[in-house]
């Protein structure tokens, strides 16, 4: 166990794991197996981990604790983005969130960026991670049907009928675990800037994580259907479609909230 693995053995072991059905990494940060192999294992020593690379860090000058905290760095990167393409590039270059290293793709947005309504979901799941687009799995298909019921669609060409969709987190958390408060805090400046640049009239906060990021509080059962303000815009909290799949009885409230959204759009187009 203490000898370093040669590349052929490492590849064979990897293929063996894939054959056994391991299809994805489940840790928050990658494990450096080469370092493990060089370090004699002790019964209770934790596995060696790669330090998270930091933006601007070089091999000769590793990142120190004196560096900006991730939220400050995120704020500066997001504020410097002059349009949505810049923001996507800034997010792709943001290296302070470990989720990035376990994700297959950055999930930035989908839909028509001119839309009057911007939906902010929670985080990509497996399908979104594979395709690099938000809400494309089961919950996404339900979301599309919900929008269709009020004459809206993410691919509508006219801004009047379109929606624009993003998530609080652009990278899939391992095993779809809940985002951690520090992950929400460091990615929030990007969501804030995303809303500023897309400039929708209304924002929909899908589920508790989205309410946490946008309003600083959870409790979707109480918050849903009540207009609030998030990212400087009128915002409507709604049940997340994944919740509706598990609790079909709550579709009645979701329908009421969709009608509320439609009514608000008709008030002042
Ligand atoms: N749930 C979300 O909140 N966002 C997605 O993109 C997919 C599922």
């Amino acid at each position: 166990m203490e000898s370093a693995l040669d590349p052929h053995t490492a590849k064979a072991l990897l293929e063996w794991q894939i054959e056994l059905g391991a299809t994805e990494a489940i840790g928050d940060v990658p494990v450096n197996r080469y370092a493990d192999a060089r370090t004699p294992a002790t019964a209770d020593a934790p596995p060696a981990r790669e330090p998270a690379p930091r933006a601007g860090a070089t091999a000769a000058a590793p990142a120190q604790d004196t560096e900006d905290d991730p939220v400050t760095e995120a704020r500066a990167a997001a504020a410097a983005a002059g349009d949505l393409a810049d923001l996507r590039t800034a997010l792709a270059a943001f290296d302070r969130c470990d989720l990035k290293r376990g994700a297959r793709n950055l999930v930035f947005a989908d839909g028509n960026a001119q839309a009057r309504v911007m939906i902010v979901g929670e985080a990509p799941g497996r399908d979104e991670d594979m395709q690099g687009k938000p809400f494309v799995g089961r919950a996404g298909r339900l979301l599309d049907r919900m929008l269709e019921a009020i004459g809206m669609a993410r691919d509508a060409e006219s801004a009047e009928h379109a929606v624009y969709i993003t998530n609080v987190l652009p990278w899939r958390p391992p095993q779809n675990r809940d985002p951690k408060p520090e992950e929400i805090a460091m990615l929030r400046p990007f969501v804030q800037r995303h809303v500023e640049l897309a400039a929708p009239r209304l924002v929909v906060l899908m589920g508790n994580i989205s309410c946490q990021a946008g309003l600083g509080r959870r409790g979707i059962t109480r918050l849903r259907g009540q207009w609030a303000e998030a990212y400087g815009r009128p915002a409507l909290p709604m049940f997340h479609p994944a919740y509706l799949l598990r609790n079909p009885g709550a579709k009645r409230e979701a329908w009421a909230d969709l009608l509320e959204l439609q009514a608000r759009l008709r008030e002042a187009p």
Side-chain angles (χ1 to χ4, degrees), residues 64-208:
Q64 299 295 313
D65 287 346
T66 52
E67 219 177 53
D68 278 350
D69 77 282
V71 179
T72 310
E73 195 174 312
R75 276 199 201 114
D83 59 25
L84 291 171
D86 276 0
L87 187 69
R88 191 185 197 292
T89 305
L91 200 45
F94 184 69
D95 262 340
R96 304 293 296 270
C97 181
D98 282 337
L99 294 177
K100 177 179 177 180
R101 281 168 273 283
R104 284 188 181 86
N105 281 301
L106 170 80
V107 177
F108 183 67
D110 194 23
N112 181 341
Q114 312 299 318
R116 294 183 299 166
V117 176
M118 180 163 176
I119 295 175
V120 181
E122 177 179 320
R126 184 172 175 275
D127 297 310
E128 290 77 19
D129 181 44
M130 308 248 285
Q131 295 187 35
K133 273 189 189 181
F135 282 102
V136 291
R138 256 184 98 213
R141 288 193 290 281
L142 175 57
L143 175 62
D144 286 339
R145 292 202 301 278
M146 289 162 65
L147 293 169
E148 197 185 330
I150 53 164
M152 303 191 80
R154 67 174 95 189
D155 54 7
E157 276 178 23
S158 88
E160 192 189 340
H161 297 290
V163 293
Y164 183 57
I165 307 178
T166 191
N167 281 312
V168 173
L169 301 190
W171 296 291
R172 180 193 182 192
Q175 294 182 305
N176 299 340
R177 66 153 169 76
D178 271 359
K180 296 178 187 169
E182 61 270 27
E183 291 163 348
I184 297 177
M186 80 169 84
L187 291 161
R188 193 187 179 285
F190 290 101
V191 185
Q192 171 75 50
R193 188 75 184 129
H194 206 155
V195 175
E196 281 164 18
L197 291 169
R201 271 203 44 226
L202 307 174
V203 171
V204 172
L205 304 172
M206 281 291 178
N208 260 325

